Every structure is written in C-alpha cells, then in structure tokens.
Amino acid sequence: AKAVERLRGKATYSSLPAFLLPAEFTMNELHRIYEQTIGAKLDKASFRHKILEQGKIEPVPERFRVGAHRPAQLYRLASRALTPFERKI
C-alpha cells in the first residue's frame, strides 16, 4: 500500500510512469499509464500539452504505430534518468 501511495504521489510531478512503458510508446499509451498510476481521469488535450511542454519526451523520427485508425507517432524519453516536472500534471 505504501509503494502504491508513493508511486501515485511521484506520478503527478515526475516522469516515473513513463518508465513502466516500453522504450518507444504512443502518447495514448503514456496518457493511459499516467491515469492508471495516478488513479484519476486526465484531460487528453491538457495532458498532451503539459507533457510536451516539459520536454521529457521526444518523437522518434519516422516511427509510427499503425492500427485501425491514423498512424500514431512514437515517442521516447529524452533522458533515461527520472526527472521532476516544472509543474504538476
């Protein structure tokens, strides 16, 4: 219970949940892992804006995940070090 509490707390102000994903991930996957970790729904547009503003992830050039809809850009962590955000998610 303590570990989950700490993970939820750190998820609101750090890149920690991204380390639970593979090396390359979509923005939708990142959004879902943050929601699952924090335990609350997050507005997709606001989340995307805040995450990209932090500069903690970067698009993988010319890499997309193809599915039933439009291809999704793949991203990766800009640094493999756990980093705090300038403001909470």
Side-chain angles (χ1 to χ4, degrees):
K2 269 291 196 210
V4 170
E5 182 183 326
R6 291 209 48 190
L7 180 62
R8 283 195 168 144
K10 288 182 183 270
T12 62
Y13 66 86
S14 76
S15 59
L16 183 61
F19 287 91
L20 301 172
L21 294 171
E24 294 181 354
F25 49 85
T26 65
M27 185 65 73
N28 194 42
E29 291 169 334
L30 185 63
H31 179 255
R32 272 187 299 195
I33 199 73
Y34 267 90
E35 284 187 331
Q36 290 169 349
T37 305
I38 293 169
K41 290 284 182 192
L42 301 170
D43 179 73
K44 281 189 177 192
S46 295
F47 175 81
R48 179 182 182 84
H49 176 74
K50 288 176 184 178
I51 287 292
L52 292 175
E53 181 181 73
Q54 298 292 332
K56 305 301 181 195
I57 65 169
E58 60 190 13
V60 180
E62 300 182 29
R63 296 271 295 145
F64 298 89
R65 182 158 304 141
V66 179
H69 304 287
R70 181 175 106 184
Q73 174 70 54
L74 287 174
Y75 293 87
R76 63 180 168 222
L77 286 166
S79 168
R80 292 302 299 172
L82 179 63
T83 55
F85 293 151
E86 293 175 15
R87 63 182 194 168
K88 287 188 174 186
I89 295 292

